[in-house]
């Protein structure tokens, strides 16, 4: 069921949000290319268990306006802090899926005082290992692109950039437009493993063994790096493990949040 959302202005950005339930506050951050509707099923179940769930469309997604320029992870985390301040929330539980998990790693490391605990589902933030062939291809592309630009062949450089993006760009990259494409490039190139080692929050990791976007080995690595972390794996779930196993994920998150 799609519930009615409201609009507020956060750091100058018109923001779509939904707030469900009464009780202990929980901030829920969705993944890249998603929106609050994909967090709503979990929010509704948690609201029934005594939580007040704050679920925004992040800037550039759903019905929230795009960032004015290409944003980095740090820009998004600053926006999240502004969102908490707007709602006068001093401390909340934090749930992040995929891209929302990427933001949560930084928040949990650098702004732990604003959060009680965090649960990450199929979190992004762990860099993929590129093959030698892919690294050589990228190095060659950048060299040729820079050479064309330096000798004034701007049209040829633009053609090469367009060809390379179409040939090797990811689905998310191709789908992103305007400032969101610049944002995507900034975000995916940030290695957040150093932040994982600095997370000061007790952390629950939920993962789908069939996840092809953020494979299970990334969750296992985060469990090793985050000082206080535990990993729950659902063998039959994919990248949206918390939806694939919604009753189970709700139960384990509620149990985790309520334990001292």
């Amino acid at each position: 069921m799609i519930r009615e959302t409201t609009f507020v202005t956060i750091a100058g950005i018109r923001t779509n949000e939904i707030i469900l339930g009464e009780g202990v506050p929980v901030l829920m951050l969705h993944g890249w290319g998603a929106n609050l509707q994909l967090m709503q099923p979990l929010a509704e179940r948690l609201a029934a268990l005594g939580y007040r769930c704050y679920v925004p469309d992040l800037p550039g997604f759903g019905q929230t306006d795009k960032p004015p320029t290409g944003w980095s992870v740090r820009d998004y985390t600053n926006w999240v802090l502004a969102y908490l301040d707007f709602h006068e929330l001093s401390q909340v539980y934090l749930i992040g899926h995929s891209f929302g998990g990427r933001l949560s790693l930084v928040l949990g490391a650098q702004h732990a005082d604003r959060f009680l605990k965090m649960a990450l589902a199929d979190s992004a933030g762990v860099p993929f290992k590129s093959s030698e062939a892919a690294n050589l291809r990228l190095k060659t592309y950048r060299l040729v692109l820079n050479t064309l630009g330096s000798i004034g062949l701007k049209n040829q450089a633009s053609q090469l950039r367009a060809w390379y993006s179409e040939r090797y760009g990811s689905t998310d990259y191709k789908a992103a437009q305007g400032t969101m494409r610049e944002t995507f490039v900034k975000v995916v190139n940030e290695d957040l493993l150093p932040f994982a080692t600095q997370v000061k929050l007790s952390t629950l990791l939920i993962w789908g063994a069939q996840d092809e976007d953020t494979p299970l080995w990334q969750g296992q690595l985060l469990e090793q790096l985050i000082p206080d972390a535990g990993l729950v794996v659902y063998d039959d779930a994919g990248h949206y493990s918390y939806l694939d196993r919604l009753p189970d994920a709700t139960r384990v998150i509620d149990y985790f949040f309520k334990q001292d």
Side-chain angles (χ1 to χ4, degrees):
M1 179 177 64
I2 299 176
R3 296 176 182 266
E4 184 177 353
T5 60
T6 57
F7 286 91
V8 294
T9 300
I10 308 295
I13 293 180
R14 185 172 184 264
T15 300
N16 185 43
E17 66 171 358
I18 190 169
I19 302 174
L20 302 175
E22 298 295 336
V24 182
V26 180
L27 175 63
M28 306 176 69
L29 305 178
H30 63 74
W32 184 274
N35 55 55
L36 62 80
Q37 290 182 18
L38 288 171
M39 278 294 188
Q40 185 177 320
L42 179 58
E44 290 178 343
R45 285 176 176 261
L46 289 174
L49 296 173
Y51 298 93
R52 183 167 177 81
C53 299
Y54 293 79
V55 194
D57 276 337
L58 292 168
F61 302 100
Q63 297 183 60
T64 294
D65 289 347
K66 294 179 180 180
T69 60
W71 272 15
S72 65
V73 170
R74 180 61 58 83
D75 292 319
Y76 272 99
T77 57
N78 287 339
W79 181 90
V80 169
L81 295 173
Y83 181 85
L84 294 178
D85 290 342
F86 176 86
H87 285 293
E88 299 182 342
L89 298 170
S90 59
Q91 275 194 323
V92 300
Y93 288 113
L94 177 61
I95 298 175
H97 170 249
S98 194
F99 175 62
R102 186 187 292 270
L103 306 183
S104 299
L105 288 174
V106 177
L107 291 167
Q110 297 194 333
H111 303 281
D113 60 310
R114 303 298 300 270
F115 304 96
L116 299 165
K117 293 180 179 179
M118 70 179 183
L120 308 183
D122 304 274
S123 178
V126 178
F128 281 89
K129 303 165 186 175
S130 299
S131 66
E132 291 186 10
N135 288 333
L136 178 60
R137 180 178 66 234
L138 180 59
K139 184 177 180 180
T140 302
Y141 161 71
R142 288 174 173 169
L143 176 62
V144 174
L145 189 66
N146 290 337
T147 300
L148 291 174
S150 66
I151 61 178
L153 298 178
K154 295 182 179 180
N155 288 338
Q156 289 83 345
S158 296
Q159 292 172 7
L160 174 62
R161 188 180 295 107
W163 173 84
Y164 191 89
S165 297
E166 181 61 29
R167 178 67 176 83
Y168 297 110
S170 68
T171 301
D172 285 335
Y173 176 83
K174 294 175 184 177
Q177 300 294 325
T179 60
M180 293 309 295
R181 177 167 289 189
E182 183 183 350
T183 295
F184 179 79
V185 172
K186 286 185 176 183
V187 164
V188 299
N189 286 327
E190 292 189 58
D191 179 2
L192 300 183
L193 290 184
F195 291 98
T197 64
Q198 301 170 35
V199 169
K200 302 175 183 65
L201 302 174
S202 183
T203 302
L204 169 67
L205 301 168
I206 296 175
W207 232 270
Q210 307 304 315
D211 188 343
E212 296 181 355
D213 296 308
T214 53
L216 178 57
W217 66 264
Q218 296 185 352
Q220 293 168 335
L221 181 57
L222 286 178
E223 183 186 25
Q224 295 173 18
L225 294 178
I226 297 173
D228 181 14
L231 175 64
V232 174
V233 179
Y234 297 123
D235 291 337
D236 56 349
H239 186 55
Y240 285 84
S241 60
Y242 72 95
L243 289 178
D244 294 337
R245 296 288 294 272
L246 184 58
D248 297 315
T250 304
R251 189 179 309 112
V252 72
I253 290 172
D254 177 47
Y255 179 84
F256 170 67
F257 283 168
K258 288 178 178 175
Q259 295 305 302
D260 295 330

